[in-house]
Structures are given as C-alpha cells and as structure tokens.
Amino acid sequence: MPEANLVLNNVSQVLTMAGDGLGIVEHGAVRVRDGRIHEVAKGNLEPRPGETEIDCCGRVVLPGFVDPHTHLVFGGWRQNEFEMRLAGRTYKEIAEAGGGILSTVIHTRLATEDELYNRALERLHEMVSWGTTTVEVKSGYGLDTGTELRMLRVARRLGELGFCRVVPTFLGAHSVPKKWDKSVYIKLVVEEMLPAVAEQGIALFCDVFCENFVFNAAESTAILEAGKQHGLIPTVHADEIESSGGAELAAKVGAASASHLLQPSDAGLAAMAQAGVVAVLLPGTCFFLREAHRSPVAKMREAGIVTAVATDFNPGSCPMLAQPIAAQFGCIHYGMTIEEALRGITVNAARALRLDSRVGTLEPGKAADIVITDVPDYRHIIYRLGHNPVFMTIRDGRVVHRQV
Ligand SMILES: [Zn+2]
C-alpha cells in the first residue's frame, strides 16, 4: 500500500497534547508524511505534490483516542442481569448467584473463534466511529486454556486488519471457574496458561481481578510475578468493590497501570505515584453500576498520579464503548477537568499501555492517528453529552472512518 501523505487545513484548534496541557494550536494545520505526523503549524500549509489536502472546515483536530481497558471479545450480552440490578441486586450478589462474569464465560466457551471474531469486529467498527484508534483487549471469559487462547487469537486477528491498533492482554485470572478450587485454578493459570500465552506471543500484558473475594493481593501478586517471568507487563483490576490492597500491589509489582480504583487506600495512592503506575479510571462502569464510591480524582491529582480514562467495555458492568462518553463521565461523574479527561483518553491512555512514544500526541514522528471532529471548540467534546464528535478517524495517515 502506498504511504499516506496528507495536509489537514482550516483547523480551528489542533490539540497536540504535547507537554503538560492540551498543546493547543489555534487556526492550525497538520502535515502527515508516510503515515506519521510531519509538522503541526499555525495557519494553513501548502500541499506538496503527492499530498492529499483535507479541509477541516474550522473544526477541532486531536490525537486518535486510546482505550486502555476493554473486554471487547465475548459471547452473549447480559441484559437480564442489568434488569436484576435495576431491581436492587448488587454486583456481588449477582456474582454469588452464578451470574456476572461466569455467565459470559459459558457463552464465550460455546462460541467458535469466527463467531467471537465477527461479533467483536462489529463492535470494533463502532469504536472506531467514535474515534478510537488504539484499543486494549483482554481475554478472561474462557477460564480454560483453549478459550483464553482463542480470545487472544481473535484480538490478534482484529489488529491484523489494520484499521485499529489492538493491544492484547491475558486475563486468565478474571474469576475462578465454577466448581474449581481457587488454588488449583491459580496453578493452571501459572503453570499452563501463562507458558502457552508466552509461547504463542499473543499477549503484551498480564492482568488480574484483584478483590478480596476474587483473587486477593497475595494471589494476584503471585500471578503477576509469574506473568513477568514470561515477559508480560503487569496491570491490575484494583480496589473496585472494596479496598483490597490493589493499588499497593500494582506499585509493588511495577504495573503499567491499575484500573477502577474506587476505593484505593491513601498509602496505595502514594505508592502508585512513587512507582509511576498510571491510574486507569472507568467512570462509565461506576455510573452504570451506580456504585457508591467514586475514584478519588482530587487525591490522585494531589499525589501527582497520571490518570487515564477507559470505557471498560464489557457485557456486564459497562456495555458502552465510546471514549468521548467515558471522558464526559470522567468530568461529570468523577470531577475531572476537561483537560484531564481529554489527556486521559489520548496521551495518558497511551502511557497506560506503554505506547506513548508512538501514539497519543500529534508530534513529529508519532503515528498519524488523528480524529477530525465536527465541533468548533474542544470543550464541546465534553459539553455536548452523548454527541459523537467524530467526523473522521485516521490511523497511520489513512482514513478508517468517515461520518455519513
Ligand atoms: Zn475490566
């Protein structure tokens, strides 16, 4: 395929995300050469031979969105459970009654690889239509070696299509399968699943659902350390349902990120700041589950923790896959500033995935992953609740979605 050379002119605001803020260039332009950002300038740029000019009609341009926490691949939705929750049943009660993650496990195991692939592909197209150009995808609905590997193969195939970057994460320790003794299952994860995942080279990260009633901090540490032995970067579902030492263990094992964090301890937050662990906030989940606690954004800000925002897209606790809406919840439900939320779905999300040297900002040399919006001012991206602001999604300099 020929390399993509573009000039984006007539942009009201280019949000480069360079440095600490939004890196705004008013009345700017962007030149893309060979699929990478070549320059961001003030005023319009003269197109050179071989370059395609796009008139952005006085709208905002910013980096393609990075979604650093999703469960994109799964079989079956869970609308029944949603209805139960509306009737007052809690997450924990539903899980203990055999619902929750384990019901998705049943449907995922029954699905063929192509069925999982086709369903996930539809959802991925929808994500891209909302501006996502990089997405992390977890396994974790197999809880047996064959299905976990099948989910990761689906993630790899989706990435190979080339319209969205896919970062695969092994989450064998998402739950304990029915009728299994937990210690026996952990042994399976460590001694069979992790070596198989490593041998096939189909995951970059190892994740674990750390909660006192799922995998406690000691068990989670053992799994993540084993993952490290196989070259997988640790990340953790931490302190969501109750304070379980998740933030502390994320710091201890050198995790790239810790997600949820509705009830982290002060010591845990201090340890995360010290260790440079990115907090991946999932405000859509918190809102959807009507959870009593919310991530302590002010404390995180004060501690100097880098905060990213993700959808946590999954069939149970957040069937919402749009990063602009996750950012809106970040502001309205969690109290983030507009700047924090927009950095949260771009540069900081890239950092959570350790991809910040390649994506997340519009700086020379970075991949030309770009969103052209239909809004004249960047604050509209948050302010216009529920509006899809994406006019065009560009990945590596190629148009992968256009509003119709
Ligand atoms: Zn999750």
Side-chain angles (χ1 to χ4, degrees), residues 232-290:
L232 301 180
I233 304 165
T235 179
V236 54
H237 283 66
D239 302 318
E240 179 190 5
I241 319 289
E242 55 194 29
S243 193
S244 305
E248 287 89 336
L249 99 86
K252 197 173 78 184
V253 302
S257 67
S259 294
H260 287 291
L261 299 168
L262 299 192
Q263 304 178 67
S265 69
D266 289 349
L269 289 180
M272 277 180 62
Q274 177 83 28
V277 180
V278 177
V280 175
L281 306 179
L282 310 175
T285 309
C286 181
F287 177 79
F288 188 76
L289 294 178
R290 298 187 294 182

Side-chain angles (χ1 to χ4, degrees), residues 64 91 126 142 161 175 179 189 234 243 295 325 371:
Y91 186 96
E126 198 183 336
L161 291 172
S175 188
K179 294 182 186 157
V189 169
S243 193
S295 290
I325 295 179
V371 166

Side-chain angles (χ1 to χ4, degrees), residues 312-325:
D312 190 24
F313 175 66
N314 75 84
S317 59
C318 194
M320 190 283 293
L321 50 66
Q323 273 292 62
I325 295 179

